[in-house]
Amino acid sequence: MYEFVSGPLVWIAFIVFVSGMVYQFVTMLRSAKKDKVIYPYMSLKYSLRSLFHWMIPFASRNMRARYEVTIVTFLFHICLILVPIFLLAHIAMFEFAWGLKWGALSQVAGTYMTIIVVLASLFFLIRRLMMPEIQFVTYPSDYLLLAVAAAPFFTGLAANQQWFDYQTTVVVHMITGSVMLMVIPFTRLSHMLFFPFTRAYMGSEFGAVRNAKDW
Amino acid sequence: MGLPAIPIVSDPGLDETVKELTPEKIANVVNRILDNETAARFKVYMKTCVHCGLCSDACHWFLSNDRDPRFSPVGKVKQTLWEIIRRKDSLNPAFLKECSRIAHTECNVCRRCSMYCPFGIDIAYMIMVVRRICSELGMVPQFLQDTVNSHSVTQNQMWVKQDEWIDTLQWQEEEARGEIKTARIPLDKEGADVFYSVIAPEPKILAQLIGNIAQIMAVAKVDWTMPSFDGWDNSNMAMYSGDFETMGRVERYHHEAALKLKARRIVMGECGHAFRGAAYDGPKWLGWRQPPIPLIHAVDFYHELITTGRIKIAKKFETPVTVQEPCNIVRGRGLGQKLREIIAATCEDFRPPDPDFEHNYCCGAGGGAINCGPPWKTSRVKGNRVKAEQLAATKAKIIITPCHNCHSGIEDIVGGYKLGMHVKFFSEILMEVMEIPDEIKV
Ligand code: SF4
Ligand code: SF4
């Protein structure tokens, strides 16, 4: 079992993830051509202006108004992206498989950042349950997606802290991690891919066509 | 969730049409629109929205209805588009009626929510997709459809006949000449610097606004003209009902009238939705990157007249004023700064609203909502309580609203919440403060 999940499964996950992202990306570019207004309106200057205001914490009005969400969201996303790439254990596996190597996070930092992801997921869950306007637009799939995103981090933490049977936890960790990678292109987790483009389009339209700000 | 029942409003445009719908008819239209007309934006938006609800606080409907989730931007999309997609082939007529109510009467397509969604998802565009589907099925509130029919038949919004149009202009020229000797309304003049266009409610019910313009043009010595023929109406309600074919025709008429007269540029009266139609929605549909003749809004024009000194201010307006910044020219054209500057130049005591500029709340009337007519007035006024509170907090007496929709919408709110304020177009302020040289005074 361990051999399978640490070998072929990870490979499959990477392949599905990368080809899925490429597929989504190409589909988006193709359909953007059909939507006649997109390319003529896109503007690099205003795309970047908008992205800048939505990638810096508190640089937009809504981020200032919902400061708690802003703080948690930024921490969540930063940790969620950095931890898998810079965790010593992960790098060791890449080194073992491909001989690649890069700088790693310290053990302590890795652990704390993982805890942040888990707690932030809990925050999102509570928000979804407590706030009527979010509850109203929540489908079961929203809980599922949150679980899919949080599971690799929770199991990783559990393995690291040896909370349950180590071997089993590691296997579950690898499975959940692979599942997450594989579903990103095909679910709303693909906002990871689409974010720069939807924002850039809105920024372009507001900036170049409407002479106004969009943050 | 224990939400209050939404009052049932009877509207023949919906109540009668719904009887003729069948699930097959609905499926046909839905599939046609979703498969052929909507492309990248729609699909990507649907895939990207993470159902986070962060857009809710942008919407005056949501805020004014005690944070009722059914009025949040994403909540409105959920109740319409998400369901349409989920049940594509088994949509019942009653559901389509709900869609029309939500899309036509409970969203002003003001696009404030695009500035709140982290992804910049254009909810207004999604709502327009719903309106498009509803319109193709004939599910449009009666009053709104009536204006569209009028556009379609007469090329203007209010069934104004050509002789009535010319008659009104001549009458207003006479009125203006009662004040200023040189005031004229030149008809069909070729090669004029300014082709001036208005929305059809001006000749129909607010004709003095045209007389005012004749005086302002005379004082500023502008070389201008108006057409005696169709194309003089710059408003476009078809844009909001979802009848884009008619929208395209109306815009074409407007731009072509100016081309026919070889005007150097179009100046549009104080209306936001008309400006939106002529400046982007129309050209977009017609496949033009830009309108063929440069086109500016009245605010831009007044700014030019005042800053270049063609109009001098005799005495500033004293009563405390605040401003309603129309979505379609401020969030939609960045005219906020110029609007402030002309107010500063003409008014002594300006009380800025909060929030303001791009973030100002919508008047609640735009986007075709007010054109859905009297049956929907109660819900519309209720859906804009935040605007009333915002205006009241300024403690101003006059609200300057350089847009016809805003003007009527704010008047309804002022009445509904007993604010004791008055609404004025900027041109009305200008009429009171501009210097009229003695040699042209009557
Ligand atoms: S009324 Fe304005 S803020 Fe509310 S949903 Fe419609 S476009 Fe968005
Ligand atoms: S439209 Fe944007 S802000 Fe609103 S729920 Fe979707 S992702 Fe969140």
Side-chain angles (χ1 to χ4, degrees):
Chain A
M1 188 66 177
Y2 179 79
E3 271 66 50
F4 174 73
V5 296
S6 66
L9 182 66
V10 177
W11 272 103
I12 295 171
F14 271 109
I15 292 169
V16 172
F17 171 70
V18 173
S19 48
M21 290 296 247
V22 170
Y23 168 78
Q24 292 290 5
F25 183 67
V26 171
T27 315
M28 177 185 72
L29 293 187
R30 279 235 188 97
S31 59
K33 212 176 277 165
K34 261 176 67 189
D35 203 335
K36 296 202 177 40
V37 298
I38 300 211
Y39 290 120
Y41 282 5
M42 287 300 266
S43 128
L44 183 66
K45 174 175 154 201
Y46 292 114
S47 296
L48 294 177
R49 186 180 79 156
S50 178
L51 280 166
F52 176 80
H53 280 92
W54 286 93
M55 282 176 45
I56 308 281
F58 305 111
S60 69
R61 184 186 165 98
N62 202 18
M63 280 200 248
R64 290 190 293 273
R66 290 253 164 239
Y67 63 92
E68 72 294 346
V69 181
T70 308
I71 295 172
V72 177
T73 308
F74 272 92
L75 284 176
F76 173 77
H77 284 94
I78 292 169
C79 297
L80 183 107
I81 292 168
L82 294 188
V83 167
I85 303 177
F86 293 105
L87 209 67
L88 194 57
H90 290 177
I91 297 176
M93 291 198 59
F94 277 109
E95 195 183 354
F96 177 70
W98 293 330
L100 293 171
K101 213 180 150 181
W102 55 88
L105 286 166
S106 77
Q107 274 298 344
V108 188
T111 307
Y112 277 117
M113 286 166 79
T114 310
I115 294 176
I116 288 177
V117 175
V118 174
L119 290 181
S121 307
L122 214 60
F123 171 86
F124 291 136
L125 175 69
I126 294 171
R127 231 182 131 247
R128 213 170 258 298
L129 289 167
M130 302 292 290
M131 297 181 71
E133 70 263 34
I134 309 173
Q135 185 53 210
F136 185 69
V137 293
T138 295
Y139 283 173
S141 61
D142 291 303
Y143 294 118
L144 205 65
L145 283 183
L146 191 56
V148 165
F153 293 86
F154 180 73
T155 51
L157 188 67
N160 180 260
Q161 303 292 312
Q162 316 236 346
W163 284 341
F164 314 105
D165 172 50
Y166 181 74
Q167 282 301 325
T168 321
T169 327
V170 167
V171 170
V172 176
H173 172 66
M174 287 177 164
I175 294 176
T176 52
S178 305
V179 168
M180 178 182 176
L181 264 186
M182 287 189 282
V183 304
I184 288 176
F186 308 103
T187 58
R188 284 192 292 284
L189 295 180
S190 60
H191 66 266
M192 166 186 168
L193 170 71
F194 294 127
F195 164 72
F197 299 99
T198 51
R199 194 73 258 171
Y201 177 72
M202 199 32 92
S204 300
E205 212 183 297
F206 264 78
V209 184
R210 300 175 189 272
N211 299 336
K213 299 188 287 193
D214 69 328
W215 57 85
Chain B
M1 215 177 271
L3 296 166
I6 292 189
I8 294 171
V9 172
S10 65
D11 183 319
L14 307 182
D15 302 343
E16 296 305 316
T17 328
V18 74
K19 294 179 190 155
E20 285 155 30
L21 289 185
T22 61
E24 294 75 50
K25 275 191 197 170
I26 300 173
N28 266 338
V29 168
V30 165
N31 288 324
R32 176 161 58 81
I33 305 284
L34 295 189
D35 296 342
N36 303 335
E37 280 191 23
T38 59
R41 277 177 294 167
F42 174 75
K43 297 203 179 82
V44 172
Y45 289 155
M46 290 298 278
K47 283 191 261 191
T48 309
C49 173
V50 290
H51 308 176
C52 66
L54 281 171
C55 49
S56 306
D57 285 334
C59 187
H60 50 283
W61 285 91
F62 172 76
L63 299 173
S64 303
N65 281 292
D66 303 318
R67 311 184 67 84
D68 182 331
R70 288 169 298 184
F71 292 95
S72 89
V74 63
K76 286 181 258 200
V77 177
K78 183 216 156 174
Q79 293 170 86
T80 54
L81 264 188
W82 294 3
E83 282 304 300
I84 291 179
I85 290 186
R86 217 161 60 94
R87 311 197 313 223
K88 236 178 174 185
D89 295 313
S90 60
L91 293 163
N92 67 45
F95 168 74
L96 256 286
K97 194 172 141 183
E98 288 283 291
C99 285
S100 176
R101 189 204 76 223
I102 294 166
H104 282 108
T105 78
E106 291 170 0
C107 169
N108 300 100
V109 289
C110 73
R111 304 174 109 232
R112 195 169 188 261
C113 41
S114 312
M115 305 168 68
Y116 276 65
C117 168
F119 304 102
I121 289 176
D122 193 347
I123 300 266
Y125 165 77
M126 308 286 255
I127 295 286
M128 287 309 300
V129 172
V130 180
R131 289 191 189 182
R132 174 75 175 150
I133 292 172
C134 289
S135 166
E136 289 293 280
L137 288 165
M139 294 297 293
V140 177
Q142 190 192 26
F143 278 80
L144 181 59
Q145 187 59 48
D146 184 64
T147 59
V148 176
N149 294 349
S150 173
H151 274 306
S152 176
V153 176
T154 66
Q155 316 321 326
N156 72 72
Q157 193 197 126
M158 300 209 107
W159 306 97
V160 178
K161 295 200 215 79
Q162 198 198 13
D163 57 341
E164 290 171 347
W165 165 243
I166 298 173
D167 209 45
T168 307
L169 295 183
Q170 288 177 341
W171 158 49
Q172 281 308 316
E173 182 177 80
E174 239 173 76
E175 296 279 307
R177 288 173 67 178
E179 307 287 329
I180 294 178
K181 280 187 248 173
T182 52
R184 292 284 184 281
I185 300 183
L187 286 187
D188 299 341
K189 184 177 174 207
E190 281 196 10
D193 183 37
V194 167
F195 171 98
Y196 187 72
S197 58
V198 295
I199 68 168
E202 288 205 16
K204 193 89 179 177
I205 45 182
L206 292 159
Q208 76 281 7
L209 291 177
I210 301 177
N212 287 354
I213 276 296
Q215 294 191 41
I216 291 170
M217 296 288 196
V219 170
K221 299 201 183 73
V222 175
D223 172 23
W224 71 304
T225 187
M226 286 183 103
S228 66
F229 48 90
D230 287 342
W232 55 265
D233 178 12
N234 59 26
S235 73
N236 200 332
M237 298 328 299
M239 159 174 76
Y240 284 142
S241 77
D243 180 350
F244 298 154
E245 286 77 11
T246 304
M247 169 187 81
R249 275 177 55 216
V250 171
E251 294 305 339
R252 197 181 276 283
Y253 260 98
H254 178 229
H255 291 289
E256 283 180 356
L259 280 168
K260 215 178 279 174
L261 294 181
K262 303 186 178 69
R264 259 195 287 279
R265 56 185 178 155
I266 300 175
V267 172
M268 302 180 64
E270 291 180 63
C271 185
H273 81 260
F275 187 70
R276 175 178 181 151
Y280 0 95
D281 286 29
K284 247 188 203 177
W285 176 262
L286 293 167
W288 304 340
R289 175 114 182 34
Q290 291 287 340
I293 295 181
L295 167 130
I296 60 170
H297 184 268
V299 163
D300 224 339
F301 185 59
Y302 297 142
H303 187 265
E304 180 187 311
L305 297 183
I306 293 171
T307 52
T308 55
R310 292 176 79 173
I311 283 189
K312 298 199 173 51
I313 306 305
K315 186 176 166 294
K316 283 196 177 182
F317 192 78
E318 280 169 8
T319 321
V321 299
T322 185
V323 68
Q324 158 59 14
E325 287 151 318
C327 305
N328 288 324
I329 66 162
V330 173
R331 186 158 41 251
R333 196 51 156 199
L335 289 180
Q337 191 54 38
K338 285 187 173 168
L339 178 54
R340 291 299 180 89
E341 284 168 21
I342 59 177
I343 293 173
T346 51
C347 301
E348 214 160 73
D349 183 358
F350 173 63
R351 317 264 173 101
D354 176 33
D356 59 357
F357 284 96
E358 281 95 342
H359 283 279
N360 206 334
Y361 296 122
C362 169
C363 62
I370 198 166
N371 304 78
C372 293
W376 303 97
K377 183 174 162 182
T378 311
S379 62
R380 177 165 53 78
V381 171
K382 182 166 175 265
N384 212 359
R385 193 183 66 211
V386 286
K387 185 90 233 172
E389 289 165 358
Q390 181 203 30
L391 291 171
T394 65
K395 300 206 167 59
K397 289 273 166 291
I398 302 286
I399 308 153
I400 300 177
T401 63
C403 168
H404 276 279
N405 275 313
C406 296
H407 199 277
S408 316
I410 301 282
E411 253 172 6
D412 287 344
I413 289 161
V414 165
Y417 295 93
K418 307 209 169 22
L419 300 182
M421 302 164 101
H422 289 283
V423 192
K424 274 188 194 293
F425 288 104
F426 183 76
S427 63
E428 294 175 289
I429 302 276
L430 200 54
M431 288 297 291
E432 291 191 33
V433 302
M434 74 178 171
E435 183 186 293
I436 302 174
D438 285 336
E439 65 272 19
I440 60 171
K441 229 185 242 168
V442 171

